[in-house]
Amino acid sequence: MRVDRDELLARIDLAALADELLGGHKGHGLAARWPSPDPQHSQTGRTPPMSIFRDRRGIQRWHCFATGLGGTAIDLVGVTRAWTVKEAIEWLAHRAHLQPDRPPAAPIHRSPQASVDIRGPSVEMRAYIEVCARLLWEPIGSPVRDWLTEVRGLDPEVLRANQIGADPGPLHLPRARGLPWRGTAAVFPALDRTGTPLYLQARYLDPPPDRGKYDNPTAAHGTNPRLAHLQPAATPPVAPTADTILVTEGIPDGLAAAAAGYRAVAVLGVGVPDDRVARRLAALDGLLVIAFDADPAGHTGGRRLSALLAAQDRRHLTLTPSTGDLNDWARTAGPGFGAQLRLAIRLAGCRRRVGPSRSLA
């Protein structure tokens, strides 16, 4: 059955579709913003980069200013699910009841690696991470160090173990083209399981106008690995729950979990958890505990990741801070955070055994 493209797009509420695929939005009306649909783009900033508008023909379109991607509802489905145009049209047509008697064919689930040139880390990015990790502990790094330890409440021991750095800005630190350059920033390397940096995110202390707080290298320096492993504190204040891995929304939350003695894996972009992320998490030894933010995007991303892990029969739990994120919880709890986190994980496990999986406030 041939589908009329214009009729299909006219029947699709692009904002509702974006909520479904990307986990909700922030703002209202023309100011509404969604996470980037590109699975290779990090989603940790507080200002989502995707907007929706109508073109001169009245067709709803989207644009992601962080990646330059854009298009119609067909393109949004294609980008988020790595489907062909034909697969995206069939799925949307069935969703819009233009093909009520013909469910769409089973889509081809492609790994992003099949369509993205996996690169890096570049020599320049590795050198930048190494220099920034050293500068964090020198006088020039004191603004970033104070922000990390006093404002964010992160443990210096864990910062050292995970090669967290300070970028004093391009006037003080030359860098290769394509690396973050818009001001003083905390540098969060994305490490693999051996502690080798694969990628990085820079969090500006004073973000430039009209931009998010986070910045990433260009593709020339490396591909976003989607997961970052965090090394736990050598001497945590409270013994953590054995063989437990906290799966967090972003690296700062992973550092908070690591300070409590837990192994942690930060998901760089929870808006679109996919099969590749779930498979890599499922391959890790230990109990996975999903601990995403207490906001609509975090709830949606957590449910989606939980469903993907359940489909692989991978044991896991879900807990959610009552407000904010794991780092906010750690700052509020202070020295008692480790004990509170351990208790929360135990309670989540008990609830899982007696009934459906539930988040723990």
Side-chain angles (χ1 to χ4, degrees):
M1 175 181 175
R2 186 177 180 275
V3 177
D4 184 288
R5 180 179 179 276
D6 289 342
E7 181 183 358
L8 173 62
L9 294 178
R11 291 198 181 198
I12 299 297
D13 182 337
L14 186 53
L17 177 67
D19 283 342
E20 177 182 333
L21 296 177
L22 304 177
H25 63 275
K26 291 186 177 181
H28 303 281
L30 295 177
R33 296 292 182 269
W34 285 260
S36 173
D38 182 1
Q40 297 298 320
H41 179 74
S42 61
Q43 313 285 335
T44 55
R46 290 188 179 273
T47 305
M50 194 189 96
S51 62
I52 292 176
F53 62 97
R54 288 188 182 274
D55 64 16
R56 293 180 180 180
R57 297 176 56 201
I59 296 175
Q60 285 188 306
R61 305 180 72 89
W62 59 275
H63 176 73
C64 174
F65 67 77
T67 63
L69 297 174
T72 66
I74 298 169
D75 302 295
L76 184 63
V77 174
V79 170
T80 57
R81 300 197 171 187
W83 290 357
T84 65
V85 171
K86 180 176 182 292
E87 291 166 348
I89 288 176
E90 287 186 349
W91 185 80
L92 286 170
H94 184 68
R95 183 179 181 274
H97 305 292
L98 290 176
Q99 291 182 334
D101 299 323
R102 182 186 174 190
I108 301 172
H109 294 282
R110 298 178 181 83
S111 165
Q113 289 180 321
S115 57
V116 178
D117 183 15
I118 303 300
R119 299 182 180 181
S122 68
V123 173
E124 294 83 358
M125 183 166 66
R126 290 198 298 265
Y128 172 77
I129 291 172
E130 183 178 345
V131 170
C132 290
R134 173 173 56 80
L135 292 181
L136 179 63
W137 309 103
E138 297 185 2
I140 197 172
S142 60
V144 175
R145 185 171 65 250
D146 292 344
W147 181 81
L148 289 167
T149 58
E150 297 179 14
V151 178
R152 302 306 304 176
L154 296 171
D155 182 5
E157 176 189 343
V158 172
L159 297 178
R160 288 184 185 274
N162 290 284
Q163 305 174 46
I164 308 304
D167 179 351
L171 293 178
H172 303 282
L173 177 62
R175 78 284 312 280
R177 184 176 182 179
L179 293 172
W181 59 277
R182 295 180 178 273
T184 303
V187 176
F188 297 119
L191 309 179
D192 66 12
R193 297 176 68 178
T194 68
T196 300
L198 300 178
Y199 192 69
L200 69 87
Q201 293 180 319
R203 200 289 193 184
Y204 294 116
L205 269 58
D206 186 15
D210 302 322
R211 291 188 64 90
K213 295 180 180 179
Y214 283 85
D215 202 355
N216 306 303
T218 63
H221 290 289
T223 301
N224 185 342
R226 302 292 308 281
L227 296 177
H229 293 259
L230 286 305
Q231 300 297 319
T235 55
V238 178
T241 305
D243 298 324
T244 298
I245 302 171
L246 270 291
V247 182
T248 68
E249 183 174 341
I251 293 176
D253 284 0
L255 292 169
Y262 287 90
R263 287 188 293 161
V265 180
V267 179
L268 307 183
V270 303
V272 194
D274 57 21
D275 289 335
R276 184 167 71 102
V277 167
R279 286 196 302 270
R280 290 167 61 196
L281 288 171
L284 301 176
D285 294 329
L287 171 65
L288 298 176
V289 179
I290 302 171
F292 287 174
D293 294 359
D295 59 19
H299 290 306
T300 300
R303 287 194 297 268
R304 188 169 295 164
L305 180 56
S306 178
L308 289 169
L309 291 173
Q312 300 188 44
D313 294 324
R314 181 62 165 86
R315 181 177 175 238
H316 67 282
L317 304 174
T318 300
L319 64 85
T320 307
S322 57
T323 58
D325 54 33
L326 212 61
N327 189 197
D328 292 332
W329 181 5
R331 285 189 297 160
T332 301
F337 174 63
Q340 292 183 17
L341 183 57
R342 182 175 63 178
L343 177 60
I345 293 170
R346 290 180 177 176
L347 290 175
C350 292
R351 290 177 177 178
R352 183 64 179 268
R353 285 191 290 271
V354 300
S357 177
R358 291 164 48 186
S359 298
L360 180 69

